[in-house]
Amino acid sequence: MTAKANVLIIDFGSQVTQLIARRVREAGVYCEVIPFNRAADALVRLEPRAIILSGGPASVYDAQAPLAPPEAFDAGVPVLGICYGEQLMAHQLGGKVEGAHAREFGRAEVEIAGISPLFEGVWQPGQSYPVWMSHGDRITTMPPGFSVIARNANAPFAAIADEARRFYAVQFHPEVVHTPDGARLLQNFVHRIAGIEADWTMSAYRSEAITRIRNQVGKGRVICGLSGGVDSAVAAVLIHEAIGDQLTCVLVDHGLMRHGEAAEVVTLFRDSFNIPLVHVDASQLFLDGLCGVTDPEEKRKTIGRLFIDVFEAEAKKSGGADFLAQGTLYPDVIESVSYSGGPSVTIKSHHNVGGLPARMNMKLVEPLRELFKDEVRMLGRELGLPEAFVARHPFPGPGLAIRIPGEVTPERLAILRQADVIYLEEIRRAGLYDKIWQAFAVLLPVRTVGVMGDGRTYDHVLALRAVTSVDGMTADFYPFDMAFLAQVATRIINEVKGINRVTYDVTSKPPGTIEWE
């Protein structure tokens, strides 16, 4: 990662810690998220100019409650505590925290009780403003040197400040959209209080990343697996700009891609960017490997293993490779390490995450591991990738395999691929594609009796899914109107043999969950 981070976010297990990072990045300031028990080392390594303490599920008076390293308060830089972070500051700096008389979860209002640079240009003394609360404990005695700058009936110390030390703390969550002015408060903290300029740009990141890639790779050779998605494509173009023909891209056509996707990737890389590309038709290999496999996690592991096998074979054919490039993103990095510091649930078990077999003797190049998904798109535009490619919906590595619960067969793939094409055609026709983060069809392991014309059918049920999001950390279903859904369902049932019923999934993705598939 980058040697220095302007803002260090110490994570105590909040489901929305990543959103703090997003808001700071949106303010044009680079930051990193570090688990609390690695924070002391990170303070030395990153030399941050400001520190933010996240929320979390613990109570500060628990025997095993996570604490901030004392160095965080001795570093001489501004500190902002959020929710549990506020209680932690009070607890560690001489105040008192107790169980709340009334828990507070959801929308609330706070009254501004004092003038503070944290509220400058946003909130006025004596006025009340909406916020989002999520706490079961509260501060009952402030630490020495602090004063109240916001309160409400349930949280008399809803925001406190020690202006002399530039220590601030809020009981509410400014990072979530339910606190309408929260992003501006975080901007005040990083810009007005910490004095950090908005210098986090894709142009600067591009130059820095190219230098890092060159320093890491030297004269070595890199092999990059293209999945057809945005992440691997942006990683490949960035690496090629850094080291040129030392990079070889491999497109593994595993038979699980969307309609026409392999040809599109080949055209983009060979014709538009003149990047060395090996196109491997391994569809039969993958279909054979997935034969009889029904467990989704086993599918992922099978696909990941076969990807590695193909990469290894192609690396040998091309004269060997020293590095394997991957499109790992920052959410993968954050979520793959729990706040307690131990290994958490594996976020992705296919080829993007999980390391390499020792036999490959290759090191990883992960030039996007500091970026969120929307930042990857920004970098793609900076690198000159076509907008139609950069703006395309995310498509996880397991591809259509994970969208077929149960066994993957050529027949089921053909049905799903055709239905998916119709669904996306109708979304584009309605002018909705760019309003939706991700849309796809799922061929359910269910068959149902239906009537088509004068005959009875016994065919598959297809589920449609579409969600809105900014960075993929949280998402909500897209509210299609019934006329649109009726049009899509009619086309699919009429044009795709093997489907006689279509349903729409209205599941949301709350903070802290992993991924859709």
Side-chain angles (χ1 to χ4, degrees), residues 31-321:
C31 62
E32 288 192 22
V33 177
I34 300 293
F36 76 93
N37 58 349
R38 302 183 185 179
D41 291 339
L43 285 166
V44 175
R45 175 172 58 88
L46 300 175
E47 299 180 6
R49 296 172 60 186
I51 297 168
I52 298 178
L53 310 178
S54 84
S59 294
V60 295
Y61 47 77
D62 289 345
Q64 301 299 321
L67 300 176
E71 295 90 337
F73 304 115
D74 297 332
V77 301
V79 180
L80 172 65
I82 295 175
C83 196
Y84 178 80
E86 183 198 42
Q87 298 166 12
L88 196 67
M89 289 180 71
H91 177 69
Q92 292 189 238
L93 296 176
K96 188 175 182 181
V97 178
E98 295 180 355
H101 298 290
R103 295 184 303 170
E104 196 171 20
F105 297 98
R107 290 178 175 84
E109 286 199 349
V110 295
E111 179 187 352
I112 307 308
I115 296 174
S116 172
L118 189 66
F119 301 152
E120 188 173 342
V122 185
W123 288 349
Q124 301 300 319
Q127 300 295 313
S128 294
Y129 298 93
V131 298
W132 186 264
M133 293 282 194
S134 180
H135 65 100
D137 301 338
R138 70 179 182 184
I139 296 173
T140 55
T141 303
M142 284 188 299
F146 281 79
S147 61
V148 177
I149 56 175
R151 62 168 66 92
N152 75 1
N154 193 57
F157 305 112
I160 59 176
D162 180 338
E163 303 287 359
R165 289 186 287 179
R166 295 184 296 171
F167 288 175
Y168 302 83
V170 296
Q171 185 61 74
F172 54 87
H173 286 273
E175 69 272 29
V176 302
V177 295
H178 306 86
T179 300
D181 298 318
R184 296 177 65 191
L185 299 185
L186 290 170
Q187 289 172 18
N188 276 348
F189 177 69
V190 298
H191 294 319
R192 294 178 184 272
I193 294 171
I196 303 173
E197 296 181 356
D199 59 0
W200 170 250
T201 66
M202 278 304 109
S203 177
Y205 181 86
R206 174 185 181 179
S207 299
E208 181 182 333
I210 287 172
T211 299
R212 289 204 311 269
I213 293 167
R214 288 172 178 166
N215 290 339
Q216 179 186 5
V217 173
K219 297 182 179 180
R221 298 197 58 81
V222 180
I223 187 170
C224 177
L226 298 177
S227 67
V230 176
D231 303 340
S232 61
V234 172
V237 174
L238 179 64
I239 293 170
H240 185 257
E241 185 167 306
I243 62 172
D245 289 348
Q246 291 171 247
L247 169 70
T248 298
C249 291
V250 177
L251 173 62
V252 180
D253 190 348
H254 44 49
L256 309 173
M257 302 177 79
R258 291 171 287 199
H259 177 73
E261 192 166 45
E264 181 181 355
V265 174
V266 170
T267 299
L268 175 68
F269 277 79
R270 287 181 177 170
D271 297 348
S272 300
F273 287 95
N274 195 30
I275 296 177
L277 171 64
V278 177
H279 181 195
V280 182
D281 183 358
S283 55
Q284 194 59 53
L285 173 68
F286 279 79
L287 288 173
D288 290 344
L290 291 170
C291 182
V293 178
T294 59
D295 179 75
E297 197 60 24
E298 188 178 349
K299 287 181 187 177
R300 293 173 185 273
K301 292 177 180 178
T302 299
I303 292 169
R305 173 177 53 79
L306 293 175
F307 260 104
I308 293 296
D309 290 346
V310 174
F311 287 156
E312 187 175 22
E314 292 305 320
K316 290 178 179 178
K317 290 180 184 178
S318 63

Side-chain angles (χ1 to χ4, degrees), residues 424-441:
L424 293 179
E425 281 180 357
E426 290 298 324
I427 287 175
R428 288 190 173 93
R429 185 174 297 163
L432 300 176
Y433 189 85
D434 292 335
K435 298 179 181 180
I436 294 171
W437 166 262
Q438 185 183 49
F440 56 86

